[in-house]
Amino acid sequence: MELYRSHVLVCAGAGCISSDCQAVKKSLLDSINRLKLDKEVKVVETGCMGPCDQGPVMVVYPEGVFYRRLKPADAVEIAEEHLLKGRVVKHLIYQTPETGSAALTFEQIDFFNKQTRIALRNTGIINPESVEEYIARNGYQALGRVLSKMTPEEVIDLVKKSGLRGRGGAGFPTGLKWEFSARAQGKPKYVVCNADEGDPGAFMDRSILEGDPHSVLEAMAICGYATGAGQGYVYVRAEYPLAVQRLNLAIRKAREYGLLGENIFGTGFGFDVEIRVGAGAFVCGEETALLASIEGRRGEPRPKPPFPAQGGLWGKPTVINNVETWANIPPIILNGADWFAGIGTEKSKGTKVFALAGKVNNTGLVEVPMGTTLREIIFDIGGGIPNGKKFKAAQTGGPSGGCIPAKHLDVPVDYESLTELGAIMGSGGLIIMDEDTCMVDLARFFVEFVQDESCGKCSPCRIGTRRMLEILDRITKGRGRDGDIELLEELGRGIKAGALCGLGQTAPNPVLSTIRHFREEYEAHIYQHRCPAGVCKALTVYVIDEEKCTGCGRCAVVCPAGAVSGVKKQPHHIDPEKCLKCGTCMEKCKFQAIHTL
Amino acid sequence: MKSLDELDKLREKLQAEMRIREGQPDTRVTVAMGTCGIAAGAREVVTALLEEMKKRNVKGVTITQTGCAGLCHYEPLVEVEVPGGERVTYVHVDGDKAREIVLEHLVNGQIIKEWTILKK
Amino acid sequence: MSSVNLTIDGKPVQAEADATILETARRAGIKIPTLCYLEELNVIGACRLCLVRVEGARALQPACVARVAEGMVVRTNTPDVLQARRLNLELILSNHPRECLTCPRNNNCELQQLAADFGLEEIRFEGEITPYPVDDSSPALVRDPRKCVLCRRCVAVCEQVQGVSAISVQERGFNTIVAPAFLDPLGSVACVNCGQCALVCPTAAIHEKDQTAAVWAALADPQKHVVVQTAPAVRVSIGEMFGLKPGEVVTGKLVAALRHLGFDRVFDTDFSADLTIMEEGSELLSRLKEGGRLPLITSCSPGWIKFIEHFYPALLSNLSTCKSPQQMFGALAKTYYAQKAGIDPADIFVVSIMPCTAKKFEAGRPEMNSSGYQDVDVVLTTRELGKMLKQAGVDFDSLSEEEYDDPLGISTGAGVIFGATGGVMEAALRTAYELVTGETLEPVDFTAVRGMAGVKEAAVNLNGTELKLAVAHGLGNARKVLDAVSSGEKTFHFIEIMCCPGGCIGGGGQPIPTNTEIRAKRIAGIYRADREMPRRKSHENPAVQALYKEFLEQPLGYKSHELLHTHYEPRGQF
């Protein structure tokens, strides 16, 4: 590495790639070369920094100035003004949503300064393609320390004491899992990283793999030492090509440095990692399905026990943890169990990464201590609900999770509290909904997802989720019947009790939790043929308020179906027969004269 | 990588280059890079500072730049601020002076008084 | 294996430490319903009808998979258990065309039985039924995916017992289907038509292709002289279709029933089985003497023939060139018998009653026309014959026993044992021994080649030459023997291979259920029938002797080659 007076970190997470950070980066590099700053300023591509809706973003060090929503021309300006002359380009920095006041640096932005970044400690800060940058930030220190100074039992004990629980969904204590595998008979043993992130909207695992791949490799090697495994596999979906590429590079670099392979740190311990690319089936995130897939069989779950720690890959003891869990391991080793256990709540230690999405001002990736309230995540970090709308519910845990209504905004987010409310921690999808969201429609969306992703092996999930979808479908179409809610509840309970794997056992959660917290919405759909949020098209009638209508005629112009009629300057009317319920008229009306019934 | 010691050594070497992203109170060397500074040769000063720091393996120093300081006739200006210490401004710096500043001020901790204008 | 103590429904039971809850409960006389479970072959916990409550466990456990443990407390009939099972069955039925009255498996369907046992009164879910078309592309088997409950028993049998893997689970979720790869039609893939899938199917999702209509039509046609042959294995299983015990020998009633249906002549495949021994035995002796390709492998089983054509084409020249007894019969019925009876072979209609679905394919092979006509016109399985008899109102058990017609109905015990694994080998040895040594064999039993062991090896001394023999049944076992032969690991002179477990008595056309226990009873019936025959060696069959004298002249002679021998062709693996 060379010494530079300035580092410019360009976020190359998927969100920023979509908003064309590559063009911004190219423009920046061109300008730097043109200004002959290339020996002084280093441009680093990093993994996801988190604030995805602000992309493309970059940070200029040493000042830590955060620029966002950049276009290639902005990069020219930043190079000429900031990099050359040291003048911050004010109009490109972040402004807080409520006050509109400008925040110069990371530290001044709530989105960042309310976070505690353990799993994401390097993501967005280092160049993920540089093992040197990882090492500079204490990378592989934990592995070195474990191999040189600790016994496998001590490592397991440390992880147990830290209280770390699996970040992939069910929250099983990680140290216990390691211990089971360490004690299990059978050789060879394996270590597997579950990177088959499949919840709609969730991307924490991808961001870690893309932004800090070595942290996962280091953790797997530590586990290998602790459990007696010499081979690891990372199972990652083919939809994550960048993660695959960076992992491959990371594995190669780690081998070059002797951090993977034979005789690591001269201790005689050997460990290597291979990548297995999956086809992206949601069910392959279920551990037994994932293992089947690695073995080259159809990716579907099998009944447990035996658990993977006893009989996993090829029937051998296998530790399988998800990406975020792995990323927590090196800091735990370095900072100690007490440090980690000091963060979070009594039963849920450490932090959790969430993919914040939906109707919230700051969408993106955030990491907060366990026990942080939903309110803090949504309003302090997330910047609240856009357009002055009311918060309605938060959906956690994706298709396996549930909805938490406004009255529970102050619930501390940990495994137990969420489960109590009928939701789950899950892998960290967090979707915020405002008053315009129909909860029946939302439940329908998730059930459609799981019934599509069901592997088809066990009958409750294969057929039950389809039947739930059919019932939800008819409710949203205005053909709901008396008894449908009860039938959904019965089906939901039955599928939870009867399905073979975690996917099926949690598939009814979105339905059951929305019935629990928003039963009146279901009833409105069924008994009054009304969608309170105005989402379900079949139940929505668009009308023009004669009082408010000025007769400007804009609605009639934009209506694709010619359903709006009226004389200029006179109140207009919508023909419900012709209306397609697209909502364009309502969107375009400047006088809020159009509403739904 | 043959041992933990080896990793430690490598880490220390690499950390110097990464400190810039820590936002820690390092010794800060600020070069004024307004039009005036650039015209007077501030670019050459920056290059010289960086090269010398690299040569002498100086750690814990960040080089930053600023705009016109309002002292155009003293350009190029270089400001050195050690955490907890006073802020020292060197004037009419050129490449050779920059290298000397690195050696004396940053490495040996000696301010080269004759090149400075002392500030509060 | 140490044993553990547990209680099931309050009853203390002891079990081996690795036993499942299901096995343990069954031994204790507690019935737990199952659908996808197939002992040792398909233990996947998919149908969720065997759910039980294990105290202390978070979720209900599938009894078929869950293992017992010391001190375990199991409940099989608590309200939550019954409720969960019931909902699962209701869901399965909601995705099943409820056409029981017109279904081929009406009254012999596990799903129907479960619905009755559960006392379901209503299916509250009226959604879509997974829409896949019926696949009748195969000459032997019909797939009806709408009726499939995705228990995967067929997949397990095809893969694990037969080593064929012609069908597999495809697609996902509600669209999941068991089908040949790429959803290709069954008739176009490396399916050997053995029908073991149909035997284990709990419903009518895969069943034999029904050809009874063609037989009824022939019987009704006054122009046609309809002759029927019955395979050895049918006489020990057809009774099961009428509530008789598995393995009961009902040869005489079978003949009477067929005559009652209106067949002009009732003949016996046992006759051509004896003939096969003459031809195949001679072939073995000639290969031994003249240094022909060894080991010689039997060729009676059409599923096996298609298997070797697909998967071991390099060994095709090891196969005996003899046609199967069914095809020898067909060729002779339209030549020798036609001549003898003075009937125009064009008017002769040959029907076979076989325990086998693959025979339907074999009869349709284009080369099976050495009589100048398709040698066998229609093949019915044991099950199809049972159906015809029921349609005709035959009260099977009360029929008086009758005798087969001459001359193609005359046989020996050696012909009967073709129906059990090891039978062809034993029959061949009975004849070869006497022909080579010139001594009378006593006793005639070669027990070393009998029984249910998957691969049986034996050696016999024929005049100083030690013959090494192997017998395999089930194509998975066949693979073991063939691989050992191909690799040079083992050397044999003569190998008998039967496609189906247990031999023909376990064939894919046999009454349902057919399981290990029932197979054993049918095998016992076969050997009982053998013992009761006055003649037990093929070369002593007077009708066969007459056939050579009047028509064929000698084994492996010119006419034999023309009518009784065939050739094989390699087929692709897919």
Side-chain angles (χ1 to χ4, degrees):
Chain A
M1 280 205 285
E2 294 289 312
L3 202 57
Y4 293 88
R5 68 169 167 83
S6 175
H7 288 187
V8 181
L9 272 53
V10 180
C11 176
C16 288
I17 288 176
S18 304
S19 49
D20 211 0
C21 64
Q22 291 301 338
V24 174
K25 183 186 163 197
K26 183 176 182 300
S27 164
L28 181 71
L29 285 174
D30 288 349
S31 302
I32 286 173
N33 287 333
R34 179 167 52 79
L35 300 170
K36 301 201 167 52
L37 296 171
D38 53 309
K39 293 278 188 292
E40 300 163 31
V41 179
K42 181 181 187 181
V43 176
V44 180
E45 216 175 87
T46 73
C48 178
M49 294 181 183
C52 302
D53 65 313
Q54 300 288 330
V57 300
M58 63 170 74
V59 179
V60 180
Y61 284 106
E63 301 92 331
V65 173
F66 177 70
Y67 289 113
R68 85 315 176 230
R69 294 204 178 137
L70 299 174
K71 296 188 181 51
D74 299 332
V76 177
E77 195 177 349
I78 289 169
E80 285 173 352
E81 286 299 306
H82 190 154
L83 299 180
L84 183 62
K85 298 175 189 164
R87 291 197 284 246
V88 171
V89 185
K90 292 260 165 56
H91 70 98
L92 295 175
I93 65 175
Y94 179 81
Q95 291 166 349
T96 55
E98 307 91 58
T99 61
S101 63
L104 193 59
T105 65
F106 260 126
E107 293 79 37
Q108 292 164 358
I109 301 171
D110 279 352
F111 181 82
F112 294 107
N113 63 27
K114 303 255 179 184
Q115 295 191 40
T116 304
R117 289 165 85 99
I118 298 174
L120 298 178
R121 64 194 177 283
N122 293 326
T123 302
I125 292 170
I126 64 167
N127 174 357
E129 301 194 348
S130 160
V131 64
E132 291 84 6
E133 293 205 8
Y134 181 69
I135 291 172
R137 287 181 57 90
N138 294 331
Y140 291 104
Q141 285 283 326
L143 179 61
R145 191 178 297 185
V146 159
L147 294 186
S148 322
K149 299 176 178 163
M150 293 172 79
T151 65
E153 295 74 27
E154 283 167 349
V155 177
I156 289 174
D157 209 43
L158 179 73
V159 176
K160 273 168 75 180
K161 279 199 183 123
S162 75
L164 176 66
R165 295 167 65 175
R167 300 297 194 239
F172 191 83
T174 304
L176 217 50
K177 215 183 233 187
W178 291 21
E179 188 172 60
F180 288 151
S181 179
R183 288 186 180 171
Q185 302 293 314
K187 285 219 168 354
K189 296 181 181 182
Y190 296 99
V191 171
V192 174
C193 172
N194 182 346
D196 194 65
E197 184 171 50
D199 288 10
F203 59 100
M204 14 309 140
D205 293 347
R206 191 195 57 205
S207 294
I208 292 171
L209 290 180
E210 289 178 1
D212 192 18
H214 285 284
S215 67
V216 172
L217 300 179
E218 183 183 2
M220 291 174 73
I222 291 170
C223 177
Y225 174 72
T227 61
Q231 180 66 49
Y233 292 93
V234 179
Y235 185 86
V236 56
R237 42 181 49 216
E239 289 97 319
Y240 286 2
L242 189 60
V244 173
Q245 181 196 320
R246 295 219 166 121
L247 263 174
N248 266 319
L249 187 67
I251 292 171
R252 210 168 63 229
K253 289 275 184 73
R255 282 179 190 154
E256 277 170 22
Y257 270 93
L259 296 163
L260 285 179
E262 308 274 306
N263 196 18
I264 300 171
F265 290 118
T267 58
F269 171 72
F271 189 82
D272 210 344
V273 175
E274 276 181 41
I275 298 178
R276 287 285 183 272
V277 178
F282 181 64
V283 73
C284 285
E286 200 281 340
E287 55 188 14
T288 59
L290 186 152
L291 296 176
S293 183
I294 292 182
E295 291 172 18
R297 294 181 289 119
R298 183 175 155 95
E300 52 184 28
R302 57 157 179 80
K304 294 184 278 191
F307 292 94
Q310 263 104 34
L313 207 51
W314 293 292
K316 304 297 182 191
T318 302
V319 168
I320 173 165
N321 284 131
N322 99 317
V323 173
E324 189 186 335
T325 317
W326 289 122
N328 274 293
I329 295 291
I332 290 175
I333 302 285
L334 290 180
N335 301 326
D338 293 341
W339 162 77
F340 191 78
I343 303 166
T345 65
E346 193 200 332
K347 288 186 173 167
S348 304
K349 303 300 188 189
T351 58
K352 179 75 194 86
V353 182
F354 289 99
L356 197 56
K359 301 294 177 62
V360 63
N361 275 313
N362 303 328
T363 58
L365 214 57
V366 303
E367 181 171 358
V368 294
M370 294 274 189
T372 304
T373 65
L374 261 186
R375 189 185 299 280
E376 287 172 272
I377 298 174
I378 297 165
F379 290 92
D380 297 348
I381 296 172
I385 314 299
N387 306 321
K389 299 266 185 183
K390 272 200 300 203
F391 168 80
K392 183 170 188 177
Q395 211 281 349
T396 70
S400 304
C403 287
I404 300 167
K407 69 172 174 189
H408 294 299
L409 258 178
D410 291 310
V411 67
V413 175
D414 61 32
Y415 292 101
E416 278 71 26
S417 311
L418 293 185
T419 307
E420 245 166 61
L421 291 175
I424 63 163
M425 177 75 81
S427 59
L430 184 56
I431 300 171
I432 310 305
M433 286 156 293
D434 67 9
E435 53 196 286
D436 292 340
T437 309
C438 168
M439 303 313 277
V440 185
D441 182 62
L442 179 86
R444 193 196 161 283
F445 167 81
F446 280 115
V447 171
E448 184 169 30
F449 178 86
V450 287
Q451 75 94 30
D452 236 23
E453 293 292 341
S454 163
C455 78
K457 184 172 180 178
C458 79
S459 36
C461 177
R462 181 182 69 242
I463 310 170
T465 56
R466 167 56 70 108
R467 297 299 171 239
M468 286 189 110
L469 177 63
E470 285 162 350
I471 296 170
L472 288 165
D473 215 40
R474 72 178 178 231
I475 295 177
T476 56
K477 294 221 165 86
R479 297 197 304 269
R481 299 171 201 162
D482 188 24
D484 272 357
I485 298 177
E486 292 73 17
L487 198 54
L488 281 174
E489 287 177 316
E490 187 189 333
L491 257 177
R493 282 194 303 267
I495 296 167
K496 274 175 91 94
L500 190 157
C501 80
L503 186 150
Q505 286 162 9
T506 55
N509 283 350
V511 179
L512 293 176
S513 81
T514 48
I515 293 180
R516 175 170 159 192
H517 298 298
F518 300 93
R519 194 181 188 99
E520 68 287 350
E521 269 190 56
Y522 281 83
E523 287 166 350
H525 281 77
I526 295 171
Y527 300 108
Q528 295 151 32
H529 302 286
R530 189 170 64 82
C531 174
V535 170
C536 298
K537 281 188 184 174
L539 296 176
T540 305
V541 182
Y542 284 83
V543 289
I544 297 175
D545 185 341
E546 294 195 5
E547 300 281 307
K548 289 183 182 164
C549 179
T550 64
C552 73
R554 195 170 162 75
C555 50
V557 172
V558 298
C559 178
V564 187
S565 58
V567 183
K568 275 266 174 202
K569 309 244 166 113
Q570 298 288 321
H572 282 45
H573 295 281
I574 298 172
D575 179 353
E577 295 291 303
K578 289 187 185 164
C579 176
L580 301 173
K581 298 164 184 181
C582 65
T584 311
C585 56
M586 192 161 90
E587 230 171 75
K588 299 289 180 189
C589 178
K590 291 176 175 169
F591 309 98
Q592 276 90 49
I594 302 178
H595 59 96
T596 56
L597 288 181
Chain B
M1 204 65 64
K2 294 284 176 288
S3 68
L4 185 52
D5 278 351
E6 201 179 319
L7 179 72
D8 282 338
K9 287 198 187 100
L10 178 63
R11 174 181 60 161
E12 263 170 52
K13 178 172 159 279
L14 296 171
Q15 267 176 344
E17 293 136 37
M18 290 288 286
R19 283 185 79 97
I20 192 169
R21 297 181 212 171
E22 303 288 340
Q24 298 302 318
D26 280 346
T27 294
R28 188 170 279 245
V29 178
T30 309
V31 184
M33 298 277 268
T35 330
C36 46
I38 293 171
R43 296 295 314 286
E44 186 202 341
V45 171
V46 171
T47 314
L49 285 171
L50 278 169
E51 278 172 4
E52 193 65 17
M53 281 169 63
K54 202 177 300 168
K55 200 166 98 189
R56 305 206 172 270
N57 196 19
V58 178
K59 287 173 198 157
V61 176
T62 55
I63 298 182
T64 175
Q65 81 274 57
T66 181
C68 173
L71 292 166
C72 305
H73 56 293
Y74 285 117
E75 294 282 3
L77 286 177
V78 172
E79 220 171 63
V80 178
E81 192 179 3
V82 180
E86 58 187 332
R87 194 175 341 163
V88 179
T89 304
Y90 293 97
V91 298
H92 294 309
V93 183
D94 58 18
D96 288 340
K97 281 182 173 176
R99 279 184 274 273
E100 197 74 6
I101 291 167
V102 170
L103 177 64
E104 288 302 322
H105 196 159
L106 300 182
V107 177
N108 297 331
Q110 300 296 321
I111 298 169
I112 312 171
K113 290 209 173 117
E114 56 270 36
W115 296 345
T116 66
I117 48 167
L118 286 172
K119 288 165 76 179
K120 50 184 174 339
Chain C
M1 183 58 68
S2 58
S3 70
V4 296
N5 295 291
L6 65 156
T7 70
I8 304 181
D9 295 340
K11 190 171 169 180
V13 286
Q14 211 173 42
E16 290 200 342
D18 68 341
T20 63
I21 294 176
L22 180 70
E23 293 158 3
T24 309
R26 282 189 176 172
R27 267 200 295 275
I30 294 166
K31 188 180 165 191
I32 296 172
T34 58
L35 184 59
C36 68
Y37 176 76
L38 194 60
E39 197 172 349
E40 286 179 9
L41 287 177
N42 200 48
V43 185
I44 60 174
C47 74
R48 317 304 283 178
L49 292 181
C50 69
L51 291 176
V52 295
R53 163 76 52 209
V54 175
E55 272 181 26
R58 192 172 49 89
L60 298 179
Q61 298 292 311
C64 66
V65 183
R67 309 262 163 198
V68 297
E70 181 62 39
M72 188 182 252
V73 177
V74 181
R75 294 263 162 206
T76 73
N77 57 4
T78 54
D80 61 333
V81 164
L82 298 185
Q83 163 80 14
R85 289 182 193 159
R86 198 181 170 83
L87 182 71
N88 290 341
L89 183 63
E90 190 180 346
L91 284 170
I92 292 168
L93 287 167
S94 78
N95 192 29
H96 188 85
R98 301 187 285 282
E99 306 162 353
C100 299
L101 295 181
T102 53
C103 177
R105 291 287 295 271
N106 188 17
N107 273 337
N108 186 15
C109 168
E110 292 181 38
L111 190 61
Q112 196 181 39
Q113 188 59 50
L114 284 164
D117 289 350
F118 279 48
L120 281 186
E121 288 168 356
E122 187 193 7
I123 310 297
R124 293 167 295 168
F125 310 105
E126 46 188 64
E128 192 190 3
I129 289 173
T130 314
Y132 282 110
V134 170
D135 171 10
D136 64 355
S137 61
S138 156
L141 296 158
V142 178
R143 290 173 49 241
D144 187 349
R146 297 172 315 139
K147 291 181 177 168
C148 178
V149 294
L150 296 170
C151 68
R152 311 185 180 194
R153 284 155 42 163
C154 53
V155 178
V157 165
C158 191
E159 182 186 326
Q160 298 171 46
V161 176
Q162 298 298 57
V164 171
S165 296
I167 46 176
S168 59
V169 182
Q170 289 171 67
E171 306 288 327
R172 290 195 303 186
F174 196 69
N175 296 324
T176 307
I177 180 173
V178 170
F182 312 110
L183 303 185
D184 281 353
L186 192 62
S188 72
V189 301
C191 164
V192 303
N193 304 305
C194 72
Q196 289 299 311
C197 49
L199 276 189
V200 296
C201 181
T203 71
I206 189 154
H207 57 85
E208 70 283 1
K209 186 169 258 180
D210 188 314
Q211 288 173 295
T212 55
V215 176
W216 283 122
L219 289 170
D221 185 345
Q223 269 299 113
K224 295 277 183 219
H225 180 78
V226 188
V227 304
V228 63
Q229 59 169 325
T230 64
V234 177
R235 69 206 65 202
V236 295
S237 64
I238 182 74
E240 295 164 38
M241 298 290 289
F242 300 90
L244 302 184
K245 286 198 203 86
E248 198 167 330
V249 185
V250 292
T251 319
K253 290 180 199 281
L254 173 62
V255 174
L258 290 165
R259 220 163 257 145
H260 179 88
L261 283 181
F263 286 102
D264 294 303
R265 290 291 182 277
V266 180
F267 292 137
D268 198 352
T269 316
D270 291 14
F271 162 83
S272 45
D274 282 334
L275 182 59
T276 301
I277 290 302
M278 298 307 293
E279 293 290 327
E280 200 165 284
S282 306
E283 189 181 4
L284 173 65
L285 296 177
S286 115
R287 287 201 195 191
L288 283 169
K289 201 194 288 174
E290 284 153 32
R293 179 100 174 220
L294 290 170
L296 179 71
I297 312 178
T298 61
S299 58
C300 308
S301 169
W304 149 241
I305 295 300
K306 189 153 185 269
F307 178 84
I308 187 175
E309 288 177 329
H310 280 300
F311 301 107
Y312 292 87
L315 297 178
L316 281 175
S317 56
N318 289 76
L319 274 183
S320 161
T321 57
C322 287
K323 287 181 182 173
S324 73
Q326 136 160 302
Q327 292 304 138
M328 286 193 183
F329 178 94
L332 291 174
K334 293 189 180 182
T335 52
Y336 172 63
Y337 169 72
Q339 233 173 62
K340 219 171 145 97
I343 301 167
D344 181 354
D347 289 334
I348 295 182
F349 192 89
V350 177
V351 176
S352 306
I353 311 297
M354 295 285 142
C356 179
T357 45
K359 288 283 176 194
K360 288 176 185 273
F361 169 80
E362 182 187 53
R365 289 176 76 120
E367 68 273 21
M368 293 297 177
N369 62 351
S370 45
S371 64
Y373 303 89
Q374 202 64 25
D375 297 336
V376 173
D377 293 284
V378 174
V379 176
L380 297 183
T381 60
T382 312
R383 292 194 294 273
E384 286 166 275
L385 174 64
K387 268 183 210 173
M388 284 185 78
L389 295 175
K390 284 179 183 174
Q391 286 165 26
V394 172
D395 180 3
F396 190 82
D397 197 24
S398 67
L399 291 170
S400 313
E401 300 193 358
E402 294 182 15
E403 295 284 330
Y404 282 108
D405 288 310
D406 285 347
L408 307 187
I410 310 297
S411 67
T412 73
V416 177
I417 58 174
F418 267 57
T421 167
V424 177
M425 177 64 73
E426 183 171 347
L429 290 176
R430 287 179 190 176
T431 289
Y433 184 88
E434 295 204 352
L435 293 187
V436 172
T437 64
E439 296 165 15
T440 304
L441 181 66
E442 199 61 48
V444 299
D445 298 341
F446 284 89
T447 49
V449 295
R450 295 185 184 182
M452 285 296 278
V455 177
K456 292 163 277 189
E457 293 179 25
V460 274
N461 196 317
L462 282 190
N463 256 8
T465 314
E466 179 161 80
L467 271 192
K468 289 187 175 164
L469 314 167
V471 173
H473 56 119
L475 296 172
N477 293 321
R479 274 190 187 275
K480 289 180 203 160
V481 174
L482 297 180
D483 290 342
V485 167
S486 299
S487 70
E489 182 197 326
K490 291 207 167 149
T491 329
F492 298 108
H493 297 98
F494 190 33
I495 302 174
E496 177 204 296
I497 292 179
M498 290 294 157
C499 172
C500 293
C504 304
I505 53 86
Q510 289 285 62
I512 297 170
T514 290
N515 54 36
T516 309
E517 194 188 336
I518 292 174
R519 284 186 166 99
K521 288 180 177 165
R522 292 182 192 149
I523 288 174
I526 287 283
Y527 290 112
R528 204 156 48 242
D530 167 36
R531 279 197 303 276
E532 283 161 11
M533 293 296 279
R535 298 185 191 84
R536 298 181 64 193
K537 297 165 206 158
S538 297
H539 56 282
E540 292 175 357
N541 182 331
V544 169
Q545 290 167 351
L547 170 68
Y548 279 110
K549 210 160 148 194
E550 295 167 15
F551 188 69
L552 292 175
E553 293 170 4
Q554 60 177 19
L556 307 182
Y558 173 75
K559 266 217 167 95
S560 286
H561 266 292
E562 190 139 285
L563 293 173
L564 309 182
H565 291 256
T566 187
H567 57 270
Y568 311 103
E569 56 184 76
R571 299 169 190 264
Q573 289 215 7
F574 302 100

